[in-house]
Amino acid sequence: NWIKKLYFVVNIQSLDLSIQQHHFHKIYRLGILLLLISEIACSTGLHSDRSHMVFRYNEDGNITSLDPAFSRNLENIWATTHLFNGLVQLNDNLEVIPDVAEQWSVSADGLLYEFKIREDVYFHKHPGFGNKKTRRVTASDFVFSLKRLLDPQLASPGGWVLQNVKNIEAKNDRQLTITLKKAFPPFLGLLSMRYCSVIPHEIANLKGVDFRKNPIGTGPFAFKNWEENVKLVLRKNPLYFERDEKGEALPYLEAVAITFVPDKQSEFMLFLQGKLDLLNSLDNSYKDELLTQEGQLSEKYRKKISLQKGPYLNTEYLGFYLDSHSTIIQSPAIREAINTGFDRKKMMTYLRNNIGFEGDKGFIPKGLPGHRENRLLEYHPEKAAALVKSFEKQTGKKVQITLATDPNYVDLCEYIQRELQKIGISIKVDVMPPATLKKARSQGKLEMFRSNWIADYPDAENYLSLFYSKNLSPSGPNYTHFNNDTFDSYYHDSFMINDAEKRSKHYKTMDSLAMSMHPLVPLFYDQVVRFTQKEVEGLTLNPINVLKLKKVWKKKNRYK
């Protein structure tokens, strides 16, 4: 079969077909990709009758490193989740549960964390360990792994996770203590991040070994082969310590195969052909093909594939630079008019196929404690128009604003442009490359900008930090330069509240306070959207959209 496919790819150029050149390139690429999928099936080392034990997905954004110290983007996080473990982990409800640490305690003042390490966790096999080719994980391994994040020569982007840590110490092989400089209730959530994975010092420091490309961890899958920009293959870890509810060893799958196809339409076609098990995206090129306006699977696909949806800790918003010299941006009335002058419900229906939730309840997204149930922002075009007219009458100025965005959100910004024109606000949409937009936003060069915030850890403090006055950009994430003494006081107080329910209530108060001054415009709270083949079982969702495959299995592939 692969010879036939290769013949097709090589000889298609000679066929006298009246197709446009870009159509040929798509067919050509697809032929190459089919060959690649076949090659990956062989490279896993599994016979064809067990190929259904391989889970295949694509990363159009590519993977830059398999070292957890560089697990900054979602592509790297997914890969390192398969390969590594930390002290603690998050379940699908974002609750902190044991991982390599079987239990822990926190001192009354919130400064001292003591962890007890499991005795049955072993690193993946590697010749660097000597004759046994593996060894048991100890508390000292976590001391090495965490302190490594602070090594200036390594230059890990995850060093900030430990900025509040005073000391890390192993009392013995099973006892680890971490002392903080000041209390920080979300600290356990920080430790669940992939940055904090345990790695072996022998292999990480082994001369001539690039840990980025040759990772050794403790995870459910072990590294086998990585051909950058082409494919990554992981195999089942026979030493993995976790078991399911029935006591059966995890993982169920034999292998994970990841391709790096940058073209989303090619990825979509491969998925429809059953060559990929997962489609983790909702690109505009096929959004209307797969989904109805109500956000459900189109009728013709309901028997072929499955759809999973759930809250995603990502708030999409428009920000105002409040230190702008523009009297328009500095006007709370105009910022309120923009917040209430467009219909979020219509926006979600026609531009998002109802994937996501209307951003009318503050900045904290759905799925996170602290998210409000009642609306803070109502669609009220008449009142918004009156606010604009009053401003123009008082200042003698027309309300004209430039909104900066990147190409991926032009349709959304143009929708807002049209809606706000109806209430007397003229919006000029300035489209720029993502990197240019990010830099200009950080430097305060944009009076209004489209942006989003994805949670680093599962606590609403992560979102509210964008309003803290000491986090002003470019050194912090407060891109709007919101500055309010009362809010800062609430922010400081939140670190002393250990009770989760009380802290959630406190966060709601903070969110309401910030939103009352309209420093930004929440657009929508995102959703995790995954399409899978019908054979895939056991795949669950979580609000941070991490792909967990240790409890996933596949029924016999109907395409075979």
Side-chain angles (χ1 to χ4, degrees):
N1 286 337
W2 74 266
I3 294 175
K4 291 179 180 178
K5 291 171 187 172
L6 181 59
Y7 181 84
F8 165 75
V9 171
V10 171
N11 288 280
I12 190 171
Q13 297 183 68
S14 65
L15 298 179
D16 184 17
L17 299 176
S18 57
I19 58 175
Q20 295 180 359
Q21 187 177 8
H22 74 279
H23 288 158
F24 160 74
H25 285 309
K26 287 183 180 178
I27 296 171
Y28 182 84
R29 285 198 301 269
L30 183 58
I32 292 294
L33 294 173
L34 289 170
L35 286 177
L36 175 60
I37 296 291
S38 299
E39 181 186 351
I40 285 180
C42 296
S43 67
T44 58
L46 298 179
H47 297 296
S48 59
D49 61 343
R50 300 196 69 196
S51 63
H52 69 286
M53 299 300 287
V54 181
F55 190 90
R56 300 175 174 88
Y57 71 92
N58 183 65
E59 284 290 10
D60 62 89
N62 219 324
I63 291 172
T64 59
S65 176
L66 296 176
D67 185 336
F70 295 89
S71 54
R72 185 174 189 172
N73 56 30
L74 197 61
E75 295 84 1
N76 290 12
I77 291 171
W78 277 22
T80 51
T81 295
H82 310 324
L83 292 164
F84 297 93
N85 295 89
L87 286 166
V88 296
Q89 60 183 317
L90 299 176
N91 64 17
D92 291 335
N93 297 319
L94 300 185
E95 298 166 326
V96 178
I97 61 174
D99 200 358
V100 179
E102 62 184 12
Q103 63 186 51
W104 61 85
S105 62
V106 185
S107 62
D109 60 7
L111 297 177
L112 181 64
Y113 289 72
E114 296 187 274
F115 300 90
K116 186 177 181 181
I117 307 300
R118 294 178 63 125
E119 292 185 287
D120 57 351
V121 183
Y122 289 82
F123 288 112
H124 300 151
K125 289 185 176 181
H126 191 280
F129 288 121
N131 292 335
K132 294 184 178 180
K133 295 187 178 181
T134 186
R135 70 165 174 81
R136 184 168 61 87
V137 173
T138 68
S140 296
D141 291 311
F142 278 100
V143 175
F144 167 77
S145 302
L146 294 175
K147 287 186 175 180
R148 178 173 177 261
L149 298 178
L150 300 174
D151 184 349
Q153 289 188 323
L154 184 69
S156 165
W160 67 270
V161 173
L162 303 177
Q163 62 186 351
N164 188 38
V165 171
K166 182 178 180 180
N167 187 46
I168 307 171
E169 181 183 0
K171 290 187 174 180
N172 52 53
D173 283 355
R174 299 195 65 193
Q175 299 295 324
L176 177 76
T177 64
I178 300 178
T179 307
L180 303 187
K181 299 172 187 176
K182 59 182 180 180
F184 187 69
F187 182 64
L188 283 174
L190 282 179
L191 290 179
S192 72
M193 297 179 69
R194 220 44 308 130
Y195 290 130
C196 301
S197 301
V198 64
I199 68 172
H201 64 86
E202 303 99 316
I203 312 304
N205 293 332
L206 195 62
K207 189 175 181 179
V209 172
D210 184 356
F211 198 76
R212 167 188 168 274
K213 299 175 65 175
N214 299 276
I216 294 295
T218 58
F221 298 93
F223 174 77
K224 182 179 182 184
N225 179 53
W226 182 23
E227 188 176 347
E228 293 193 53
N229 304 313
V230 180
K231 63 179 179 180
L232 170 64
V233 178
L234 311 177
R235 287 297 305 269
K236 178 178 182 176
N237 173 18
L239 303 175
Y240 194 58
F241 63 95
E242 284 193 281
R243 295 181 174 270
D244 65 14
E245 294 77 7
K246 297 180 180 180
E248 185 177 344
L250 298 174
Y252 305 133
L253 294 166
E254 290 291 337
V256 178
I258 307 167
T259 52
F260 304 102
V261 180
D263 183 65
K264 284 187 174 292
Q265 287 186 324
S266 297
E267 177 187 45
F268 178 54
M269 292 173 69
L270 288 168
F271 176 73
L272 290 184
Q273 293 176 3
K275 305 298 182 182
L276 297 173
D277 297 304
L278 169 71
L279 186 64
N280 179 58
S281 61
L282 190 62
D283 193 71
N284 283 337
S285 64
Y286 54 77
K287 170 172 62 69
D288 295 326
E289 169 73 9
L290 280 179
L291 297 177
T292 65
Q293 276 196 348
E294 292 73 33
Q296 302 302 316
L297 269 177
S298 298
E299 180 66 33
K300 67 177 179 178
Y301 292 114
R302 289 177 188 172
K303 293 182 179 180
K304 299 178 182 179
I305 61 178
S306 299
L307 168 65
Q308 291 181 310
K309 294 192 297 183
Y312 181 28
L313 300 189
N314 174 33
T315 298
E316 300 278 345
Y317 70 96
L318 306 179
F320 302 105
Y321 183 61
L322 301 181
D323 280 343
S324 169
H325 296 301
S326 168
T327 55
I328 295 173
I329 296 298
Q330 290 180 356
S331 169
I334 294 301
R335 300 199 302 270
E336 180 181 352
I338 293 174
N339 257 297
T340 59
F342 69 99
D343 190 341
R344 289 173 173 83
K345 184 176 182 180
K346 189 165 76 170
M347 178 185 74
M348 297 305 294
T349 299
Y350 293 105
L351 296 182
R352 295 280 303 171
N353 292 66
N354 280 303
I355 297 299
F357 310 94
E358 298 170 45
D360 55 7
K361 298 178 176 65
F363 192 58
I364 301 171
K366 189 177 179 68
L368 195 62
H371 176 76
R372 304 183 66 89
E373 294 302 322
N374 59 306
R375 289 182 177 175
L376 289 174
L377 300 167
E378 296 278 357
Y379 174 49
H380 206 317
E382 295 84 4
K383 180 182 178 182
L387 289 170
V388 173
K389 287 181 180 179
S390 176
F391 175 86
E392 291 179 340
K393 185 177 180 180
Q394 292 175 12
T395 64
K397 293 182 177 181
K398 290 290 185 181
V399 180
Q400 299 175 329
I401 303 172
T402 298
L403 169 58
T405 185
D406 63 55
N408 295 319
Y409 292 87
V410 172
D411 58 343
L412 187 147
C413 290
E414 288 181 344
Y415 165 79
I416 293 172
Q417 178 189 50
R418 292 191 297 270
E419 291 294 295
L420 294 183
Q421 189 174 16
K422 299 174 184 177
I423 64 168
I425 295 178
S426 176
I427 297 288
K428 176 187 175 183
V429 177
D430 185 9
V431 183
M432 55 183 66
T436 304
L437 175 64
K438 184 178 179 180
K439 183 177 180 180
R441 179 195 64 186
S442 182
Q443 295 176 346
K445 294 181 178 180
L446 306 173
E447 59 180 13
M448 188 178 179
F449 53 87
R450 191 224 63 88
S451 191
N452 71 310
W453 190 258
I454 302 175
D456 293 310
Y457 49 92
D459 193 276
E461 183 274 337
N462 196 203
Y463 286 84
L464 298 172
S465 66
L466 271 70
F467 304 112
Y468 182 46
S469 65
K470 292 186 179 180
N471 283 341
L472 299 183
S473 61
S475 58
N478 186 345
Y479 305 114
T480 65
H481 280 213
F482 179 82
N483 192 336
N484 181 273
D485 291 341
T486 303
F487 181 90
D488 285 355
S489 178
Y490 276 114
Y491 186 76
H492 294 148
D493 291 344
S494 69
F495 298 122
M496 305 309 297
I497 304 174
N498 290 315
D499 183 89
E501 188 174 338
K502 290 180 179 179
R503 196 162 71 250
S504 174
K505 186 177 179 180
H506 190 77
Y507 287 155
K508 290 178 182 179
T509 301
M510 294 171 65
D511 197 20
S512 297
L513 174 61
M515 288 300 100
S516 68
M517 301 176 194
H518 304 288
L520 49 77
V521 182
L523 298 175
F524 62 90
Y525 315 115
D526 211 351
Q527 274 188 301
V528 176
V529 180
R530 292 180 184 171
F531 303 94
T532 58
Q533 303 294 347
K534 285 291 186 181
E535 292 75 31
V536 175
E537 300 281 352
L539 184 64
T540 59
L541 291 180
N542 53 80
I544 53 176
N545 194 23
V546 171
L547 182 64
K548 302 176 182 179
L549 296 177
K550 59 189 175 185
K551 291 187 177 181
V552 171
W553 73 94
K554 291 168 58 181
K555 294 177 287 188
K556 279 285 187 179
N557 195 327
R558 70 182 186 279
Y559 295 96
K560 298 296 182 184

